[in-house]
Amino acid sequence: MSAIPRRTVWFEAGSVRILDQRQLPWKVEVVGLATVAEVAAAIRDMAVRGAGCIGATAGYGMVLAASEARDWAELEALAVVLKSTRPTAVNLAWAVDRQLVAIRAAGFGDRAEVAQATAEAIADEDVAACAAIGRHGLELLGALAARNPGRPLNLLTHCNAGWLAFVDIGSATAPIYAAHEAGLPVHVWVDETRPRNQGARLTAWELGARGVPHTVIADNTGGHLMQRGLVDLVITGADRVTRAGDVANKIGTYLKALAARDNGLPFYVALPSSTFDWSVEDGLAGIPIEERGPDELAWIEGLDEKGVSSRVRILPQTSGARNDAFDVTPARLVTGLICERGVCAADAAAIHALFPEKRLAAATD
Ligand code: MRU
């Protein structure tokens, strides 16, 4: 069992170091990935997962690609290998493309140094963006708490958009950690997030490690709690957000947004700007949704009574299963986006007011 590192991904002694998230919460294991093929497998098999974390991992994967490639064609082919591992979180393609642009600008001969510097910049910017999201989100939570003095704020989150899903701090968790550290009483309802249980296994583990009060709930419980006044605000992360504010996130997010709207509750999405896809307007039409294998539904993993990790089948042998990994929440259901530059409405005008350089870029596309 390794000690918990500060960052979830870094480069050391010629390999990309990651926390193997498939082992959590039972085992903290740091593994080294020494080839592009190993990085690609780690992303595909979800040893690393979460938009920011896979973006940073792919950024470091391009350091390995720069050392494996003997010419441009090989470098571009390795970039495709990394980009094709998972389709929905846009940070992955964003990081790989940023590396290609930087290496092209510098020239093939300088690829090693440029790839390393760009990978470190991607990781450092991810940390800075999450810290800024925390500061902006804290203002929002502080204002909400001031309207409800004398009791903890009840927040509901889905999946894991936490420290583990980024390089550090997390997006949806950033305001939560900031509030907790500022002494604002918060309690988090954590959706278990079937089928892979990122909420129950990962979000609960990291909130617990930082002493944040939380309770895991079955995925279908949130609406019921909202009806009874037990939720003040819903906050999730995102895997891809369109320039008009449609949000692709872990399957089940849309249902939480619907329930929040029906109960008049705020539904916020926290994201670094690397999660925007400036080329897409309509999320339903334009965001590819990953469909994963049926085994994630058919089998469930945990510790048995003796504390031994086991997998058991929970579906009849004769039943098939469909496993859509993400859904799209239309912008009209999103109260606001918490980004590193501030909080804005989920609509094209407000997003582009926060990121004016992107409006100019889109206009010249
Ligand atoms: O399939 P995953 O676990 O990589 O999905 C990503 C997520 O954990 C969530 O959708 C999250 O809210 C957005 S990632 C910051």
Side-chain angles (χ1 to χ4, degrees):
M1 174 93 65
S2 316
I4 300 177
R6 177 71 216 175
R7 289 189 172 192
T8 59
V9 56
W10 67 99
F11 199 88
E12 190 180 322
S15 71
V16 184
R17 305 294 164 102
I18 59 152
L19 262 179
D20 187 345
Q21 299 193 29
R22 296 167 305 183
Q23 310 288 335
L24 291 170
W26 304 294
K27 193 171 163 198
V28 177
E29 189 173 31
V30 173
V31 296
L33 311 168
T35 64
V36 170
E38 286 178 12
V39 172
I43 297 172
R44 193 179 310 107
D45 300 342
M46 293 177 67
V48 276
R49 49 144 298 284
C53 192
I54 59 178
T57 304
Y60 286 120
M62 285 298 289
V63 177
L64 299 174
S67 110
E68 288 174 29
R70 286 161 302 179
D71 55 33
W72 278 116
E74 286 188 5
L75 186 67
E76 278 164 13
L78 291 166
V80 170
V81 168
L82 290 170
K83 283 207 295 188
S84 53
T85 48
R86 296 194 69 195
T88 303
V90 77
N91 303 60
L92 174 60
W94 169 85
V96 172
D97 287 342
R98 178 168 165 178
Q99 282 279 24
L100 287 175
V101 168
I103 297 169
R104 271 191 207 111
F108 194 72
D110 289 332
R111 65 194 182 284
E113 302 77 50
V114 172
Q116 187 73 53
T118 306
E120 298 301 348
I122 289 169
D124 290 348
E125 287 168 24
D126 183 273
V127 177
C130 287
I133 289 168
R135 289 192 293 274
H136 300 304
L138 174 60
E139 280 180 33
L140 209 141
L141 295 186
L144 196 57
R147 294 206 292 274
N148 299 282
R151 66 167 181 84
L153 272 185
N154 280 306
L155 312 172
L156 185 146
T157 194
H158 189 69
C159 196
N160 173 264
W163 171 72
L164 288 161
F166 287 87
V167 178
D168 196 3
I169 305 166
S171 59
T173 51
I176 297 171
Y177 291 141
H180 182 65
E181 280 159 25
L184 212 68
V186 287
H187 166 264
V188 187
W189 299 110
V190 179
D191 280 352
E192 63 174 346
T193 319
R194 284 283 293 148
R196 284 188 75 100
N197 290 335
Q198 288 97 327
R201 290 179 59 163
L202 304 178
T203 304
W205 178 75
E206 64 169 88
L207 290 176
R210 292 181 190 224
V212 178
H214 64 280
T215 308
V216 178
I217 52 175
D219 285 330
N220 297 325
T221 308
H224 164 81
L225 297 178
M226 291 179 204
Q227 286 175 321
R228 278 154 182 76
L230 295 171
V231 178
D232 295 304
L233 176 141
V234 182
I235 184 165
T236 74
D239 293 89
R240 189 183 299 222
V241 175
T242 71
R243 62 173 183 250
D246 291 344
V247 173
N249 194 52
K250 183 54 57 189
I251 192 79
T253 302
Y254 171 50
L255 290 176
K256 293 299 133 68
L258 282 173
R261 176 56 55 91
D262 190 48
N263 288 280
L265 291 170
F267 179 93
Y268 280 93
V269 174
L271 71 152
S273 53
S274 50
T275 300
F276 279 108
D277 184 340
W278 304 103
S279 71
V280 175
E281 174 133 359
D282 177 351
L284 275 176
I287 299 180
I289 298 295
E290 178 178 18
E291 190 173 344
R292 298 182 62 85
D295 275 5
E296 289 180 353
L297 271 159
W299 295 79
I300 197 157
E301 193 180 15
L303 293 187
D304 68 15
E305 287 157 345
K306 297 195 178 88
V308 178
S309 166
S310 341
R311 249 174 119 239
V312 291
R313 188 177 171 92
I314 56 171
L315 291 193
Q317 293 288 354
T318 49
S319 295
R322 175 175 164 141
N323 187 11
D324 301 79
F326 301 93
D327 60 25
V328 174
T329 299
R332 67 187 153 76
L333 296 177
V334 178
T335 309
L337 303 171
I338 311 173
C339 308
E340 69 266 33
R341 290 194 193 166
V343 182
C344 71
D347 64 52
I351 293 168
H352 287 131
L354 210 51
F355 297 95
E357 73 280 15
K358 299 299 179 187
R359 179 172 36 202
L360 297 178
T364 54
D365 277 352

